[in-house]
């Protein structure tokens, strides 16, 4: 099994944190990232950032999306997912049947979502994936449970960036993501729930100056609940304890 490293982090200010202080461009994030090898029973998360959030939200219930390959077309059901408190929307793309093995599939979305830009780091520009040989029915397993590591606070002309990372080690052959629930530790505020993809070993919670997965208030204490899923929608069996962390703040 290939080990998949993920990071969760926290501190007041961290200059070396690899994050974008400026606004991310408007566009799409996709899980699994385009170009990845996927199981035959893969499920996808399509996320709209910035001005694309409204367009992605309107895809729910649309019956026009299809995964196409040579000799095969699989209709896609678009299910309602999550809305972040920081101007992002994520929907679930569920193929209506399993894909065929060892084929290249492209999501035919241009007819309903024209002129999009894929924002995944180092991902293919086209929404195309390659299937493997089998389905995935095994949930991820924790080798090292998520722990708080480091965070970022920065401010520039565009606004404020507040982000936390999360680190863990999973026994998992493919990509995975956290479904994170975040709530202020004091009082009775509403819970924020949003998926956070494990990308390059890191899962980043928070927002830049324009959008993001979660909003934080400077220095406030938060509770974080994490559930872990793989690209087939399998969920880890082990339940994690709540993580308490303090949001990054200026020094």
């Amino acid at each position: 099994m290939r080990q998949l490293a993920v990071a969760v982090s926290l501190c007041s200010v961290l200059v070396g944190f690899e994050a974008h202080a400026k606004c991310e461009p408007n566009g799409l994030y996709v899980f699994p990232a385009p170009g990845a090898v996927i199981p035959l029973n893969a499920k996808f998360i399509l996320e709209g950032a910035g001005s694309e959030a409204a367009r992605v939200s309107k895809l729910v219930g649309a019956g026009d999306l299809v995964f196409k390959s040579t000799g095969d077309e699989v209709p896609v059901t678009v299910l309602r997912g999550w809305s972040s408190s920081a101007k992002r929307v994520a929907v679930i793309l569920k193929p209506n049947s399993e894909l065929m093995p060892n084929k290249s599939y492209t999501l035919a979305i241009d007819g309903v979502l024209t002129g999009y830009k894929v924002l995944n780091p180092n991902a293919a520009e086209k929404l195309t994936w390659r299937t493997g040989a089998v389905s995935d029915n095994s949930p991820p397993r924790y080798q090292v449970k998520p722990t708080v590591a480091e965070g970022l606070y920065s401010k520039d002309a565009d606004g404020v960036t507040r982000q936390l990372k999360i680190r863990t080690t999973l026994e998992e052959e493919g990509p995975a993501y956290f479904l994170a629930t975040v709530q202020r530790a004091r009082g009775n505020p509403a819970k924020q729930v949003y998926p956070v993809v494990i990308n390059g070993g890191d899962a980043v919670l928070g927002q830049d100056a324009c959008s993001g997965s979660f909003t934080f208030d400077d220095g406030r204490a938060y509770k974080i609940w994490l559930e872990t899923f793989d690209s087939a929608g399998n969920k880890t069996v082990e339940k994690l304890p709540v993580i308490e962390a303090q949001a990054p703040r200026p020094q």
Side-chain angles (χ1 to χ4, degrees):
M1 286 279 188
R2 181 165 60 87
Q3 294 182 356
L4 182 63
V6 188
V8 185
S9 0
L10 172 71
C11 85
S12 294
V13 179
L14 184 65
V15 177
F17 192 110
E18 293 183 6
H20 300 287
K22 294 185 179 296
C23 294
E24 293 283 5
N26 302 316
L28 306 178
Y29 292 96
V30 194
F31 173 86
V37 176
I38 57 175
L40 307 185
N41 57 340
K43 297 179 178 65
F44 301 79
I45 296 175
L46 179 66
E47 181 181 2
S51 63
E52 293 289 16
R55 292 213 297 169
V56 168
S57 182
K58 291 178 181 178
L59 295 177
V60 175
D64 302 323
L65 301 187
V66 177
F67 278 102
K68 292 186 176 182
S69 183
T70 303
D72 191 33
E73 291 190 5
V74 179
V76 176
T77 298
V78 184
L79 302 174
R80 189 173 304 280
W82 309 270
S83 295
S84 83
S85 55
K87 300 179 182 178
R88 289 195 185 179
V89 168
V91 298
I92 300 167
L93 305 183
K94 183 180 179 182
N96 290 359
S97 62
E98 286 199 355
L99 306 178
M100 296 180 66
N102 303 314
K103 279 183 168 288
S104 178
Y105 279 87
T106 298
L107 178 63
I109 197 174
D110 297 76
V112 293
L113 198 65
T114 59
Y116 62 82
K117 180 178 182 180
V118 177
L119 301 180
N120 295 61
N122 304 315
E125 294 183 2
K126 291 292 185 180
L127 299 181
T128 300
W129 296 262
R130 183 80 184 176
T131 55
V134 297
S135 301
D136 181 2
N137 298 302
S138 300
R141 297 179 63 184
Y142 298 111
Q143 292 185 331
V144 179
K145 295 180 183 179
T147 56
V148 174
E150 60 192 17
L152 167 74
Y153 177 97
S154 67
K155 187 175 183 180
D156 60 16
D158 288 322
V160 174
T161 295
R162 300 180 188 89
Q163 294 177 333
L164 307 176
K165 271 186 186 177
I166 301 186
R167 177 164 293 148
T168 190
T169 302
L170 297 177
E171 185 178 299
E172 171 58 39
E173 293 182 346
Y177 68 94
F178 291 130
L179 182 59
T181 300
V182 175
Q183 184 180 36
R184 282 265 295 270
R186 306 290 181 267
N188 189 29
K191 291 181 178 180
Q192 305 176 61
V193 183
Y194 204 73
V196 184
V197 173
I198 298 163
N199 187 10
D202 293 338
V204 180
L205 286 70
Q207 86 278 6
D208 61 26
C210 293
S211 72
S213 54
F214 295 94
T215 54
F216 294 111
D217 295 325
D218 292 353
R220 296 288 187 178
Y222 285 86
K223 294 181 178 180
I224 302 171
W225 294 265
L226 298 173
E227 298 173 297
T228 306
F229 296 82
D230 64 18
S231 57
N234 300 306
K235 176 184 171 181
T236 50
V237 176
E238 185 176 0
K239 186 175 180 180
L240 296 170
V242 62
I243 296 172
E244 285 213 28
Q246 195 172 27
R249 61 183 177 183
Q251 287 184 328

